[in-house]
Amino acid sequence: MTPTVVLSVIIGVLYAAGVYLLLDRSLTRVLLGFLLLGNATNLLLLSTGGASGLAPILGYAEPDEMGDPLPQALILTAIVITFGIAAFLLAIIYRSWRLVRQEVIEVDEEDRRVARRSGTDADEIDPDDLAPEDRPAMHADTFAADNEVERRLAQQYSGMASDDIDLPPTQRRKR
């Protein structure tokens, strides 16, 4: 297969559409964009193989008449990698839908607050000089369960996963 201008244009359009979809906040569009990028890469690898030839089996054809098997092996590898990452993205989309009933990633105010902070290295900062909301967990003035009520609340919620906020805590069987 010799690469033509049409094949180059198709590869460019697939890459452009894939990158455009990757930049969206919808996880489904991110998945579709990744699949388009994978297919564009497969076409690019196929076009690097040069002209098609006979099967590269020893004694079946002359070396000049054989096709290059390396791009085909790379395409098979790219297909497997694309499939694995697509399955992972589908799992993330499913988990997001189950937790918050939407698959669009919202703007995270905490990320914006962290981005606005100064560029000081964390090793140079004294935790006592930070604002209370920026202090690390279990600092001197964070929740420390000083009385019996706080201890019971901490014990009650200690086993609950942080992303399963709508689910009740599991009851362990006592033997």
Side-chain angles (χ1 to χ4, degrees):
M1 174 178 180
T2 58
T4 62
V5 174
V6 175
L7 186 60
S8 300
V9 169
I10 290 173
I11 292 170
V13 167
L14 284 175
Y15 271 120
V19 168
Y20 176 76
L21 289 174
L22 274 177
L23 297 175
D24 200 346
R25 289 196 174 269
S26 169
L27 291 176
T28 304
R29 289 186 182 187
V30 169
L31 174 65
L32 291 175
F34 183 76
L35 292 175
L36 283 177
L37 284 178
N39 288 332
T41 303
N42 292 342
L43 282 176
L44 181 66
L45 288 172
L46 185 65
S47 68
T48 62
S52 61
L54 298 174
I57 298 175
L58 191 61
Y60 180 70
E62 294 297 320
D64 296 339
E65 299 171 350
M66 290 182 192
D68 189 9
L70 183 62
Q72 297 171 13
L74 291 174
I75 289 171
L76 286 175
T77 305
I79 289 171
V80 170
I81 291 170
T82 302
F83 177 74
I85 295 177
F88 178 70
L89 283 173
L90 276 173
I92 288 175
I93 292 169
Y94 176 74
R95 181 72 172 163
S96 174
W97 180 256
R98 291 279 297 181
L99 286 176
V100 293
R101 296 287 185 232
Q102 66 180 1
E103 50 92 31
V104 176
I105 299 174
E106 297 294 327
V107 175
D108 190 6
E109 293 301 323
E110 179 68 14
D111 286 344
R112 286 186 173 180
R113 186 184 63 77
V114 169
R116 282 192 303 262
R117 290 191 347 200
S118 67
T120 309
D121 193 344
D123 293 333
E124 299 170 1
I125 298 175
D126 183 17
D128 294 326
D129 296 338
L130 292 174
E133 62 270 6
D134 290 335
R135 291 186 181 148
M138 297 313 293
H139 187 261
D141 61 353
T142 58
F143 179 76
D146 291 333
N147 59 31
E148 184 62 33
V149 175
E150 290 177 346
R151 278 193 210 100
R152 276 188 276 149
L153 284 174
Q155 185 179 16
Q156 177 184 358
Y157 292 111
S158 65
M160 186 179 293
S162 62
D163 59 347
D164 294 334
I165 54 175
D166 294 332
L167 301 175
T170 57
Q171 299 294 325
R172 295 186 181 190
R173 290 185 185 173
K174 296 182 180 177
R175 294 183 183 186

